[in-house]
Amino acid sequence: MSAPVKVWYDGACPLCLREIALMRRLDRRGRIAFIDVAQGSDPSCPVDRAQLLARFHAEEDGVIHDGAAAFAAMWRAIPLLRPLGLAARSPAVLKLLEALYIRFLRLRPRLQRFFA
């Protein structure tokens, strides 16, 4: 049986590696399949590799999410973070999280250099 959530991440990003390491520790039930796309494309993913590297993506119940919605999908698979993931199903909460994610993307290059 495959994991119910699939997460594609940039394994060449030191910041991403730290976050994924934390998520792996929290995913005690093994409900998330983490796929590093820095090394190459994933043939099972319908999203272009460049898009996967530019923006966070996850698949939940056959639906591909990106940005804040992808984080929410990942959080729903982790019991400790599930309430936050469920809250993100609210359009208002998801809109706020997406705005924060877009701001983070602007800072990401500087943060990557800091964590390198």
Side-chain angles (χ1 to χ4, degrees):
M1 183 174 155
S2 64
V5 175
K6 189 183 285 189
V7 167
W8 293 278
Y9 70 95
D10 181 356
C13 166
L15 185 61
C16 302
L17 285 175
R18 286 176 186 248
E19 175 150 11
I20 294 302
L22 173 62
M23 293 301 121
R24 284 182 196 271
R25 285 192 302 276
L26 294 174
D27 182 29
R28 293 186 181 115
R29 297 179 182 172
R31 297 182 48 85
I32 304 171
F34 295 96
I35 301 161
D36 179 357
V37 294
Q39 300 300 318
S41 62
D42 174 11
S44 73
C45 182
V47 179
D48 176 75
R49 182 172 174 266
Q51 290 176 312
L52 293 174
L53 292 170
R55 198 167 156 83
F56 192 71
H57 286 75
E59 181 179 14
E60 175 188 44
D61 298 326
V63 177
I64 305 268
H65 302 280
D66 67 83
F71 279 98
M74 179 175 64
W75 297 336
R76 285 190 288 272
I78 298 172
L80 181 66
L81 301 175
R82 186 170 173 77
L84 183 56
L86 291 173
R89 286 196 166 146
S90 159
V93 172
L94 187 58
K95 185 176 181 178
L96 172 64
L97 291 171
E98 182 64 23
L100 292 171
Y101 180 68
I102 289 170
R103 286 187 179 170
F104 160 78
L105 287 178
R106 291 183 194 133
L107 295 174
R108 184 180 175 203
R110 282 182 264 166
L111 290 171
Q112 284 176 318
R113 286 190 297 274
F114 177 77
F115 284 103

